[in-house]
Amino acid sequence: MSASRRCLCCVKYLMFVFNLIFWLGGCGLFGVGVWLSFTQSEFSSLPLSFPSLSAANLLLVAGGVTMVTGFLGCLGALKEQRCLLMTFFVILLLLVLTEVTLTLVLHIFHKELDTKAQDELKEGMKNYMTDEGLKKSWDNVQKMFKCCGVTNKTDWYPVINGTLPVSCCSGGMDQCVERWIEPCYQKARQWLLDNILSVLVFGVCIGIVQILALIFSLLMYCQILRAEKYLD
């Protein structure tokens, strides 16, 4: 076996291993997204701007795309086809650029995004008395997180004629003696941050694997091109 072929085989199996890890990482992200969706199913009628619901959808999309891309990379490595490798490289490059852009946007504009999300939730509250699904979702959120309103309990005043829903009461009775005082948006956001740390660490590891997969796919593409020229 020539040195060129040995080098190609080495790059081929390294790329396959990294893409297998990449694919498994995608399965992990998708699984966490499914778990988060099930845990939040009790308030699925809320707008998607609610922190934990938006995170669940983001993880489902990211996990699905990662799984498909990882599978394409594994197939390209095994088949040694330049077309598949180039397709994988382009898709993965676009995915990495999208992830970096999204991270920067979330970091830079997080206050504006929080404000917009809170406004959407407050707007949705107006249908509390007429939409049974929304009513049930808000009641479940306030009982689960022991909170009241989006940013303050006064968010309910224009909705229920200056009163509060029963779910704002710590006793759960018609006449509130003690009320939850913390806002639901901040409570849900903090719950998400407390539970998502391991996912973020996992995401950073996946990012490193993505960079390595980009390098190995480009190396393998060049090695196949060199081998084909050598055979010719």
Side-chain angles (χ1 to χ4, degrees):
M1 185 183 288
S2 66
S4 176
R5 189 63 193 172
R6 284 197 298 270
C7 186
L8 177 59
C9 284
C10 181
V11 173
K12 170 183 174 178
Y13 290 115
L14 278 173
M15 185 182 168
F16 177 80
V17 168
F18 275 108
N19 277 288
L20 183 62
I21 296 170
F22 187 47
W23 181 80
L24 290 172
C27 292
L29 288 175
F30 192 82
V32 173
V34 171
W35 168 79
L36 202 54
S37 296
F38 274 111
T39 58
Q40 313 302 302
S41 60
E42 291 184 346
F43 37 93
S44 57
S45 295
L46 291 179
L48 293 178
S49 52
F50 194 71
S52 50
L53 291 176
S54 55
N57 289 319
L58 186 62
L59 286 171
L60 285 171
V61 172
V65 172
T66 301
M67 286 167 65
V68 172
T69 309
F71 176 76
L72 189 63
C74 288
L75 194 63
L78 290 175
K79 295 287 185 181
E80 296 183 18
Q81 290 186 357
R82 284 191 293 144
C83 181
L84 276 174
L85 288 170
M86 186 50 67
T87 304
F88 168 77
F89 179 84
V90 171
I91 292 174
L92 188 55
L93 182 61
L94 289 173
L95 183 62
V96 170
L97 291 174
T98 302
E99 288 169 354
V100 171
T101 303
L102 187 60
T103 303
L104 289 173
V105 168
L106 290 173
H107 179 71
I108 296 169
F109 299 105
H110 66 95
K111 289 183 180 179
E112 290 84 351
L113 292 170
D114 278 343
T115 302
K116 188 176 186 301
Q118 289 167 10
D119 290 342
E120 285 182 10
L121 288 167
K122 288 177 184 178
E123 187 65 28
M125 288 172 71
K126 294 177 181 178
N127 298 320
Y128 179 81
M129 300 301 290
T130 56
D131 188 332
E132 191 60 35
L134 183 70
K135 183 178 186 295
K136 187 179 178 182
S137 292
W138 264 115
D139 289 341
N140 287 331
V141 164
Q142 294 184 142
K143 289 174 184 176
M144 177 181 173
F145 291 111
K146 298 180 180 180
C147 59
C148 189
V150 179
T151 56
N152 194 289
K153 66 179 183 180
T154 56
D155 295 334
W156 287 112
Y157 290 168
V159 179
I160 322 179
N161 299 321
T163 59
L164 298 174
V166 177
S167 54
C168 271
C169 308
S170 57
M173 297 179 292
D174 291 338
Q175 295 296 323
C176 284
V177 179
E178 294 182 10
R179 301 178 179 86
W180 310 124
I181 57 172
E182 293 183 83
C184 290
Y185 188 85
Q186 290 301 324
K187 285 275 286 193
R189 192 171 182 271
Q190 190 56 51
W191 177 88
L192 183 63
L193 291 172
D194 291 342
N195 288 275
I196 212 76
L197 182 61
S198 56
V199 177
L200 290 175
V201 173
F202 185 66
V204 170
C205 294
I206 290 295
I208 294 170
V209 172
Q210 285 177 334
I211 299 299
L212 291 171
L214 278 173
I215 294 169
F216 281 118
S217 63
L218 197 59
L219 281 173
M220 189 171 179
Y221 182 89
C222 294
Q223 285 294 330
I224 292 172
L225 192 63
R226 195 173 300 160
E228 287 176 355
K229 286 182 178 178
Y230 177 77
L231 289 172
D232 291 341

